[in-house]
Amino acid sequence: MSEPPSNWRPQTIAVAAGRDQSPGAPLNVPPTFAATYRDGGDIGYGRFDNPTWSAFERTIGGLEGGHAVSFSSGQAASTALLTPLARGAAVVFPQDAYTGTRALLTELEQRGALSLRAVDVTDTDAVIAALDGARVLWLESPTNPMLGIAELPRLLEAATAARVFSVVDNTFATPVLQQPLALGADAVLHSATKYLGGHSDLVMGVVVTANPQRREVLIEHRTMRGSVPGVMEAYLALRGLRTLAVRVREQSATALELADRLNSDPRIDTVHYPGLPSDPGHERASVQMSAFGGMVSFVLGDGDAADRVVRALRLIVGGTSLGGVESTIDRRRRWPGEERVPAGLLRLSVGLEHVEDLWEDLDQALTG
Ligand SMILES: *Cc1c(COP(=O)(O)O)cnc(C)c1O
């Protein structure tokens, strides 16, 4: 397999990378179900490497502009970045990071492995002030579920100047909208469960690093801890990745329209969406993202009112997770660890249904 030419655009990389170019090869790298390989080849054992993982890794690596290592989940990918750190290393992280990331960081701190510095990631000066003596800057933008926007170019530049290793969780934006390595990040992380896979049918994660040596360290961790992705998952994730660009663009367009209608609807208290000119993150997002993504969060009344709306929806599916072709909605506060989120906040993951069908469904559920 050869690397994609560096001048290809994301749509082309998503389709053309990670393929076997030899004559007679199947157009798609098939799932290679193998624990054991005959002696004399490149792969010693099924936990070390797999051709189907490699095809996925080359494609997402090409999209993010770095070297990818896939994992059994987004959480396993985060674990691979955090657990090899020196004992007591200081990690600066967003106080409204994804709940699973915060739970993992907190657990590592309680075991004495890390020391944590929680910051408001939308407050650039506060984040930069927290970098002194830190080992890692962990960023997420847009954040899950408040859709806060971190000023990535300035924060990543400051981290580089302070010799702080920077990680950007790019799950919400995807490389189609935002490329953190090009903005100076040392590593990008994805829950491939979400947009990369894109069809709500697998759990997987990936880290993409700017530095090929770091890739080797991550592979060592994966091999040692056994946090390897399933072969079928890798096959499906790559199949999903082929259509990433077209899905994310369409989902962004529909999300913008729905956010706009929700924003002028008197039944809604607040809408969080970086594509709205009134959103506090709008200017920053316009600089560092090429569109605003498929996630919209909005608040209506208390928890009971929001739960009633979710139950009244007929098309939009009540359930957690996001980034699929199907629109899904989740009242985040029902989950442990989400106490700081408003009780009536609904996080909507906009799928590929027609915008008018989605709006009619929201409208009838809001009318009650
Ligand atoms: C879901 C999610 C994760 C964790 O990924 P899993 O695949 O569920 O382990 C990490 N970061 C963000 C932003 C997420 O939404």
Side-chain angles (χ1 to χ4, degrees):
M1 266 182 281
S2 50
E3 297 295 330
S6 58
N7 61 338
W8 276 354
R9 288 137 187 104
Q11 290 90 330
T12 312
I13 295 172
V15 170
R19 298 195 187 269
D20 184 347
Q21 311 286 346
S22 43
L27 182 53
N28 290 293
V29 171
T32 299
F33 296 110
T36 307
Y37 294 82
R38 289 186 186 277
D39 284 343
D42 292 338
I43 302 180
Y45 177 54
R47 180 157 40 78
F48 304 165
D49 201 356
N50 179 283
T52 318
W53 304 346
S54 301
F56 170 79
E57 289 166 354
R58 279 167 188 277
T59 309
I60 183 64
L63 283 167
E64 290 284 10
H67 311 272
V69 183
S70 50
F71 290 92
S72 51
S73 66
Q75 282 295 95
S78 299
T79 303
L81 284 166
L82 291 169
T83 53
L85 295 173
R87 200 161 181 79
V91 178
V92 178
F93 77 104
Q95 63 199 16
D96 70 333
Y98 166 64
T99 167
T101 305
R102 277 185 290 116
L104 175 62
L105 286 165
T106 305
E107 194 226 293
L108 289 168
E109 183 180 52
Q110 282 164 355
R111 289 201 284 116
L114 302 177
S115 72
L116 298 184
R117 299 179 186 175
V119 289
D120 172 358
V121 83
T122 66
D123 183 343
T124 301
D125 292 339
V127 179
I128 291 174
L131 291 179
D132 190 30
R135 178 74 189 84
V136 173
L137 171 61
W138 190 281
L139 296 171
E140 192 178 300
S141 184
T143 57
N144 178 3
M146 298 304 288
L147 301 174
I149 302 291
E151 194 177 2
L152 293 181
R154 268 190 70 201
L155 293 178
L156 294 170
E157 191 186 348
T160 305
R163 299 176 180 277
V164 175
F165 185 79
S166 57
V167 179
V168 177
D169 184 334
N170 207 25
T171 299
F172 271 33
T174 85
V176 174
L177 305 183
Q178 174 173 284
Q179 290 163 323
L181 296 184
L183 299 174
D186 293 309
V188 166
L189 176 130
H190 281 276
S191 168
T193 312
K194 317 291 169 54
Y195 285 99
L196 304 189
H199 294 72
S200 314
D201 56 3
L202 62 91
V203 174
M204 209 174 130
V206 65
V207 176
V208 189
T209 73
N211 178 336
Q213 273 134 35
R214 182 149 316 261
R215 177 170 193 268
E216 296 310 314
V217 173
L218 289 164
I219 290 174
E220 224 167 88
H221 172 97
R222 179 180 71 181
T223 300
M224 198 68 91
R225 306 294 162 114
S227 48
V228 292
V231 173
M232 196 64 199
E233 277 75 2
Y235 179 81
L236 289 170
L238 178 54
R239 189 177 163 121
L241 202 50
R242 299 294 185 209
T243 56
L244 180 72
V246 68
R247 283 188 282 112
V248 169
R249 298 245 163 247
E250 179 73 10
Q251 286 163 329
S252 297
T254 306
L256 180 59
E257 179 61 30
L258 293 177
D260 198 38
R261 293 188 196 183
L262 289 166
N263 199 35
S264 56
D265 193 305
R267 296 169 293 186
I268 306 296
D269 299 329
T270 329
V271 181
H272 300 272
Y273 186 68
L276 294 172
S278 56
D279 191 272
H282 181 67
E283 250 176 72
R284 280 180 192 169
S286 305
V287 172
Q288 66 201 32
M289 300 174 76
S290 60
F292 303 102
M295 299 301 301
V296 181
S297 290
F298 56 98
V299 183
L300 73 152
D302 57 11
D304 288 342
D307 279 338
R308 271 197 300 279
V309 168
V310 173
R311 280 195 302 271
L313 290 164
R314 294 167 192 156
L315 172 62
I316 299 169
V317 178
T320 200
S321 197
L322 57 103
V325 297
E326 318 84 356
S327 292
T328 55
I329 197 161
D330 192 17
R331 188 172 75 81
R332 288 304 297 171
R333 186 63 178 275
R334 70 193 172 111
W335 298 99
E338 292 286 55
E339 289 76 18
R340 64 223 146 92
V341 172
L345 180 128
L346 294 175
R347 186 191 67 189
L348 171 64
S349 170
V350 176
L352 293 178
E353 305 89 342
H354 196 284
V355 62
E356 297 303 339
D357 292 325
L358 291 172
W359 178 250
E360 278 166 28
D361 194 30
L362 283 168
D363 185 48
Q364 65 81 23
L366 287 166
T367 306

